[in-house]
Each structure stands twice: as structure tokens, then as C-alpha cells.
Amino acid sequence: ILHFLRHLGLDQYFITMPTEAELRTLLARIIQDNYKSVANALKCSPKTVDMHLHNLRDKIVNADLTQVITKAR
């Protein structure tokens, strides 16, 4: 996960590394515009997407989730 985040130039934003599920959710969120679309793409519930994105927000420093998504695009 660390190498992949480095490749995207996003590793400096994380105080702790995201889990594989959180990373998949982040990648889907970069492509999709809303939680329901992300949930459909990942075959999970919107509540699960919300939980993963909440956990990601807690792991991000020196930026917010929106800035990380924008940088990744």
C-alpha cells in the first residue's frame, strides 16, 4: 500500500497507512461522484463506504479527504 501511495504521490498525506479496503474505497471514490456509486462498484453498502471514508479522514494529515481525492485525479 505504501509503494502504491508513493506512486500516486499521496503517501505524505497519511499519518498511518490505510487498509486495503480503505484504499479500494478511496480509489473508487476518486472515480465515482457519490457514495452510492462507490458502494455499487465495490459491491458493499453505502454505510460501509461512509465508514471507510471516515477512517481515511482520521488517517490524513496536512490535508483533507477532498484535497487527497483532487490530487489523485
Side-chain angles (χ1 to χ4, degrees):
I1 291 175
L2 177 59
H3 295 293
F4 184 72
L5 290 174
R6 279 186 184 150
H7 178 74
L8 295 177
L10 302 177
D11 59 305
Q12 75 268 11
Y13 295 112
F14 290 91
I15 193 166
T16 57
M17 289 298 104
T19 65
E20 186 176 327
E22 292 165 350
L23 183 60
R24 281 195 311 267
T25 303
L26 175 61
L27 295 174
R29 181 63 183 89
I30 289 166
I31 297 166
Q32 304 293 332
D33 288 334
N34 61 59
Y35 286 21
K36 190 172 183 177
S37 297
V38 171
N40 287 337
L42 297 176
K43 296 180 174 51
C44 65
S45 74
K47 185 169 175 111
T48 300
V49 170
D50 185 49
M51 180 191 66
H52 288 313
L53 293 176
H54 174 78
N55 291 342
L56 284 166
R57 285 184 195 95
D58 289 343
K59 295 178 180 186
I60 293 173
V61 293
N62 300 326
D64 62 32
L65 185 59
T66 302
Q67 291 170 314
V68 171
I69 290 170
T70 301
K71 171 117 172 101
R73 286 183 174 157

